[in-house]
Amino acid sequence: MAGRRGGSVSSAEASLLAAGTGGVEELCEHLADDTVAWALLRWEVGSGTFVRSKLVAIHFNGEEVPAVRRGRLNARSGEVLAMLGEAHATLEVKRKEDLHLDFMCERLMKVLTADVMEKSMSAEALRKDYEALIAERKLRKATSQKSVGPRTAKENQKQISVDRALAAVGDATGPYNWVLLEPEKFELHNAGYGGLLEMKVWLAEDLVLFGVIRFTFGRETASSVEGMTASPKVVKYIFVHWVGPNVSAVRRGKWNAKQQQADAQVRAICSITFRREAHSLDDLDLADLISELWRLAVVDGAITDAGKSQISVEEYMASLALEQQKQLEAELEEFGSDSASRMCTDLHTCVDSVREAGGEMNWVLLGMQKREAPAQAAGAKEAAANAKKAEEERLAKEAAANAKKAEEERRVKETAANAKKAEEERLAKEAAANAKKAEEERLAKEAAANTKKAEEERLVTKAAAEAKKAEEERLAKEAAANAKKAEEERLATEAAAEAKKVEDERCAREAAANTKKVEEERLAKEAAAEAKKVEEEGRAKEAAANTKKAEEERLAKEVVQGEPASSRPRADSPFLTEEARPSESVISTRSSRPGQASTEPRMSGPLKLKSGWGWWWAKRHVKLTGGKLQWWRKAAEGLPDVEYRLSDGLTRWVLARHEGTDLEMRCESRDNHHGSKAVGERVILRAPSEAEAQKWKDALMEQMEYVEMLLAWPMHLDGRQGDIRNYGIEYP
């Protein structure tokens, strides 16, 4: 027996058992504890561009398989796993009940959290994310089936009454979760199970509509009673009063008047949490509506803290996805569509679909099947075809019977609904009569209460008027007393002001007399000082004239004697400050006799300098000629950019400092009265070397002294009267 089993296993080949789109739960339905099989599952988390896909290989090693057969099948595990391809993780499961979502989430946490995008995800969050993604894929697949019509009642062309549609919304697990009614006769505008977003599509801009939408949050665990399904944890209803922006004023007023009637019809099937009137789609924002539901739940205290925590956009979308999946599966069964887990016919096609990110299939199951001879295979195919045909005939008969039964049930329900409606109308009439009677009694009580209240208010008003009159009389007396007192204080103030004015005038006269006396004394002192100053200036001018005369006589002697001229400045030169004055060893060898000035520049070349308002180093072409210091930005072409006269009648330039390659020049006033705007201006020249700096210093001092001498001796060599322009220098 063992040999025969070994032969059957060795001659078997890996084949496709099943494939589908429903994830791990759907895969588990195709497993049995007495089989050995291999599966490839694509696990996806996230959404949009952030979706992450992981491939998981599952080796199902059923514990009820005989040990010898299980060992031989496991020996071929590598062969089958190679057909499935590489995977991010490989799991071994021995019992069908062990393969569930919690087990997969716990085992895959390490693999999934290796991705940076998923480091903060918990096992519970991973499970919810996976369930939502599977529900979304099932919904997308179901809606893509050609045999399934659109989701809303109007698009499916279903003939459904308003009562049935409202009842479906009122049922916490009903097939519709929203309904809209038209305002004229409260006929059905549309109904669906796509939630708020789907309902907003059917809000016409030229209509007033009344509706209700069911909000479901979370799911309870299944009841312990056999046959009971899971029910929602928290269910809330919102009444919607839609007023289209393009509705005319007349129609808007006419239709809005029916709001209370529509409200009563909706309240008959559910308990409304709150009402929302919307004039635009923005007034029906999902997050805003859910936030209001949460706030009312907290204020009312109608649910537990656990229920409050589940009122969120995420929980609503997850519950909505489950509702849509359930309804689409029901529509698939109704229209005879294939199951979402229908089998592929080609093994490699199914494996490729699972391995492809976003592929149609997200799981595939392989097993070992014995190779059959061609004749046996043909017979098996024919038997399978016959069995399939018989099964289709059985299903057709069963579907016809079910349809007949459903029709009978529909008629029974419709009859019951009509009876219920008649009873409700009778009860409504009775309730309306009772309400009218209660309203009349209430109005009578209100009228009596209003009469009593009006009398009390009249008495209170009369008392208040009398009190007000007394208060006004008291205030009038106080005002008269205050006015009298104020008048007395005013008269006293005026008297004091008059006395103060007289005293101020007397003080002013005394102050004016004192000021006049002081001013006369000051003028006398100033006149004396001015006379003294004029005397001193006269003496100074006389001394200057004598000095000038002596200098002219000395220069005349030097001209007659023809003494040699010096090329360096004298130590007593007035154009050197203490810092720039040469040592005593430097003597004057140049005659002070004036001669014809050369038209060639004394010095010319590139230097760095600082001057003017922009006190920074700049490279310029500098030229010293004719008693002027000039410079250009580049070559000495055209008029200079800047020109300074070394000496004139009011100011003169002196060498303030010579340090290394730097020469600092400063403009000073001759008589210290600072009559020129250039007084105090500085220029710093920087030569390429210290030797070059010494040359520029000597040339500057020579030009300064030469111009100064010409100013003091404006005559030709032949002794005739003239001016310094004859020497090539402009008169200052």
Side-chain angles (χ1 to χ4, degrees):
M1 182 66 67
R4 285 195 298 272
R5 286 183 179 177
S8 63
V9 172
S10 61
S11 62
E13 62 181 1
S15 60
L16 178 66
L17 299 181
T21 63
V24 63
E25 293 180 342
E26 188 178 65
L27 168 64
C28 190
E29 296 175 359
H30 292 77
L31 298 176
D33 291 341
D34 59 350
T35 61
V36 175
W38 296 264
L40 181 66
L41 172 70
R42 185 176 72 245
W43 187 281
E44 293 177 317
V45 292
S47 61
T49 56
F50 298 99
V51 67
R52 299 290 182 271
S53 299
K54 301 294 181 181
L55 295 175
V56 183
I58 301 174
H59 178 194
F60 185 77
N61 197 5
E63 63 179 7
E64 296 181 7
V65 179
V68 176
R69 180 175 176 81
R70 184 167 64 248
R72 290 174 176 170
L73 289 171
N74 288 338
R76 302 189 63 184
S77 180
E79 174 187 342
V80 181
L81 292 176
M83 297 176 66
L84 296 176
E86 295 182 359
H88 296 91
T90 302
L91 305 178
E92 182 178 359
V93 183
K94 294 184 178 180
R95 295 188 305 170
K96 175 181 178 179
E97 63 184 17
D98 292 339
L99 189 62
H100 50 77
L101 275 179
D102 293 335
F103 169 77
M104 295 294 294
C105 291
E106 291 175 1
R107 296 295 298 272
L108 295 177
M109 276 298 294
K110 292 183 179 180
V111 177
L112 292 172
T113 54
D115 193 335
V116 177
M117 298 297 295
E118 306 294 338
K119 283 188 175 180
S120 60
M121 180 171 284
S122 63
E124 180 64 22
L126 184 64
R127 178 183 182 192
K128 287 185 177 181
D129 199 1
Y130 180 75
E131 287 178 337
L133 189 63
I134 291 298
E136 180 184 356
R137 291 185 63 83
K138 285 185 176 181
L139 176 63
R140 187 166 62 248
K141 183 175 179 61
T143 54
S144 66
Q145 296 292 332
K146 294 182 179 180
S147 58
V148 179
R151 291 181 292 179
T152 64
K154 180 174 288 189
E155 291 173 328
N156 280 335
Q157 298 181 354
K158 288 186 176 181
Q159 299 298 326
I160 181 172
S161 65
V162 173
D163 292 336
R164 288 185 62 188
L166 288 174
V169 177
D171 185 359
T173 58
Y176 296 125
N177 52 35
W178 65 268
V179 64
L180 290 174
L181 304 180
E182 295 185 355
E184 286 290 346
K185 299 180 181 180
F186 298 110
E187 296 175 346
L188 182 66
H189 181 72
N190 207 349
Y193 55 90
L196 178 65
L197 297 179
E198 185 183 66
M199 185 188 76
K200 289 168 72 174
V201 175
W202 292 92
L203 295 174
E205 294 185 351
D206 58 348
L207 286 177
V208 171
L209 298 172
F210 306 104
V212 63
I213 181 169
R214 183 180 71 223
F215 282 78
T216 304
F217 304 93
R219 308 295 295 179
E220 292 281 1
T221 55
S223 174
S224 59
V225 180
E226 184 177 358
M228 295 293 288
T229 59
S231 59
K233 279 188 176 181
V234 180
V235 179
K236 298 291 181 181
Y237 294 90
I238 298 177
F239 180 84
V240 177
H241 179 191
W242 166 255
V243 182
N246 296 335
V247 181
S248 64
V250 176
R251 288 189 174 184
R252 183 166 62 246
K254 176 183 177 182
W255 289 339
N256 286 344
K258 297 187 177 183
Q259 186 265 336
Q260 292 184 354
Q261 188 176 352
D263 182 88
Q265 190 168 356
V266 172
R267 279 191 286 106
I269 56 95
C270 63
S271 176
I272 298 173
T273 304
F274 71 93
R275 296 161 181 80
R276 173 59 59 91
E277 181 174 337
H279 296 264
S280 68
L281 296 180
D282 294 337
D283 295 337
L284 295 174
D285 179 68
L286 177 61
D288 180 46
L289 295 177
I290 292 179
S291 176
E292 182 65 11
L293 287 175
W294 185 90
R295 187 187 69 80
L296 293 174
V298 173
V299 172
D300 297 339
I303 60 176
T304 62
D305 292 338
K308 296 173 186 175
S309 64
Q310 289 187 342
I311 299 179
S312 64
V313 175
E314 292 76 14
E315 289 292 335
Y316 169 72
M317 296 304 294
S319 299
L320 180 62
L322 293 176
E323 288 182 30
Q324 292 173 339
Q325 175 188 349
K326 177 182 176 182
Q327 185 61 20
L328 284 172
E329 289 176 352
E331 289 185 3
L332 285 173
E333 293 176 1
E334 180 181 354
F335 287 92
S337 298
D338 294 335
S339 171
S341 61
R342 70 182 185 275
M343 294 186 55
C344 292
T345 58
D346 182 66
L347 183 150
H348 297 290
T349 301
C350 290
V351 172
D352 292 341
S353 178
V354 174
R355 297 189 65 85
E356 180 184 0
E360 181 182 5
M361 301 296 175
N362 55 29
W363 66 268
V364 62
L365 182 66
L366 305 183
M368 289 293 181
Q369 291 184 350
K370 184 178 180 182
R371 296 188 184 94
E372 298 179 351
Q376 293 176 339
K381 288 182 179 180
E382 185 176 353
N386 293 332
K388 182 178 180 181
K389 183 177 180 181
E391 179 66 15
E392 289 176 351
E393 292 176 353
R394 184 187 66 79
L395 291 175
K397 292 179 181 179
E398 187 174 320
N402 291 336
K404 183 178 179 181
K405 183 179 179 181
E407 180 64 18
E408 293 174 352
E409 291 177 352
R410 185 187 66 77
R411 291 177 180 176
V412 171
K413 289 182 179 179
E414 190 171 332
T415 302
N418 292 333
K420 182 180 179 182
K421 183 178 180 181
E423 179 65 16
E424 289 175 350
E425 290 177 352
R426 184 186 65 79
L427 293 175
K429 290 179 180 178
E430 289 183 0
N434 295 333
K436 183 178 180 180
K437 183 178 179 181
E439 180 66 14
E440 291 174 351
E441 293 176 353
R442 183 185 65 78
L443 293 174
K445 291 180 180 179
E446 283 186 0
N450 291 335
T451 302
K452 183 179 179 181
K453 184 178 179 181
E455 180 64 19
E456 293 175 350
E457 290 177 350
R458 186 185 65 78
L459 294 175
V460 170
T461 303
K462 183 178 179 181
E466 293 176 353
K468 182 179 179 182
K469 183 178 179 180
E471 180 66 14
E472 289 175 349
E473 292 176 353
R474 184 185 65 78
L475 292 175
K477 292 179 181 179
E478 287 185 358
N482 291 335
K484 183 178 179 181
K485 183 178 180 181
E487 180 65 17
E488 292 174 352
E489 291 177 351
R490 184 185 65 78
L491 294 175
T493 302
E494 287 182 356
E498 187 68 23
K500 183 179 179 183
K501 182 179 179 182
V502 173
E503 180 65 18
D504 291 343
E505 290 176 351
R506 185 186 62 79
C507 293
R509 287 194 295 270
E510 290 181 357
N514 293 334
T515 302
K516 183 177 180 182
K517 183 179 179 181
V518 171
E519 181 66 17
E520 290 174 351
E521 291 176 354
R522 184 184 64 79
L523 292 174
K525 289 180 181 179
E526 285 184 356
E530 186 68 22
K532 184 178 179 181
K533 182 178 179 181
V534 170
E535 180 67 20
E536 290 175 353
E537 288 178 351
R539 291 175 183 176
K541 289 180 180 179
E542 186 177 347
N546 294 334
T547 302
K548 182 176 181 181
K549 183 177 180 182
E551 180 66 16
E552 290 174 352
E553 291 174 354
R554 183 182 64 78
L555 291 174
K557 290 178 182 181
E558 287 182 359
V559 170
V560 174
Q561 294 173 2
E563 294 180 357
S566 174
S567 61
R568 293 182 178 269
R570 300 192 307 275
D572 60 348
S573 173
F575 304 101
L576 286 174
T577 61
E578 291 299 329
E579 297 177 2
R581 193 173 301 281
S583 63
E584 294 180 357
S585 61
V586 180
I587 61 176
S588 174
T589 61
R590 174 185 169 286
S591 172
S592 60
R593 171 185 172 185
Q596 183 69 26
S598 175
T599 58
E600 295 296 326
R602 181 65 179 85
M603 288 293 290
S604 178
L607 295 177
K608 288 185 178 180
L609 58 87
K610 286 184 179 180
S611 69
W613 295 103
W615 193 249
W616 58 79
W617 288 107
K619 190 173 181 181
R620 298 289 186 265
H621 186 89
V622 184
K623 184 165 68 174
L624 177 64
T625 180
K628 301 175 184 176
L629 185 65
Q630 305 170 332
W631 63 76
W632 292 258
R633 291 183 179 274
K634 294 182 180 179
E637 297 177 355
L639 296 176
D641 295 325
V642 179
E643 179 181 278
Y644 288 122
R645 293 182 181 179
L646 298 179
S647 182
D648 57 23
L650 297 176
T651 61
R652 62 184 177 187
W653 285 84
V654 297
L655 185 62
R657 179 175 61 87
H658 175 203
E659 182 178 340
T661 60
D662 291 350
L663 299 172
E664 181 178 349
M665 299 177 63
R666 187 171 61 243
C667 183
E668 294 182 350
S669 174
R670 290 177 178 276
D671 53 5
N672 295 325
H673 286 296
H674 305 290
S676 173
K677 293 183 179 179
V679 172
E681 189 173 356
R682 292 191 303 159
V683 175
I684 299 179
L685 303 177
R686 175 170 289 178
S689 64
E690 293 185 3
E692 189 72 14
Q694 184 63 42
K695 291 180 181 180
W696 276 94
K697 175 183 177 183
D698 294 344
L700 286 168
M701 294 307 301
E702 179 182 348
Q703 289 283 303
M704 291 176 185
E705 290 185 349
Y706 186 63
V707 173
E708 189 71 16
M709 181 178 64
L710 291 176
L711 289 172
W713 188 275
M715 296 179 65
H716 286 292
L717 293 180
D718 56 5
R720 290 180 297 173
Q721 185 67 28
D723 55 43
I724 63 173
R725 286 178 292 183
N726 295 319
Y727 302 96
I729 301 175
E730 293 183 4
Y731 194 85

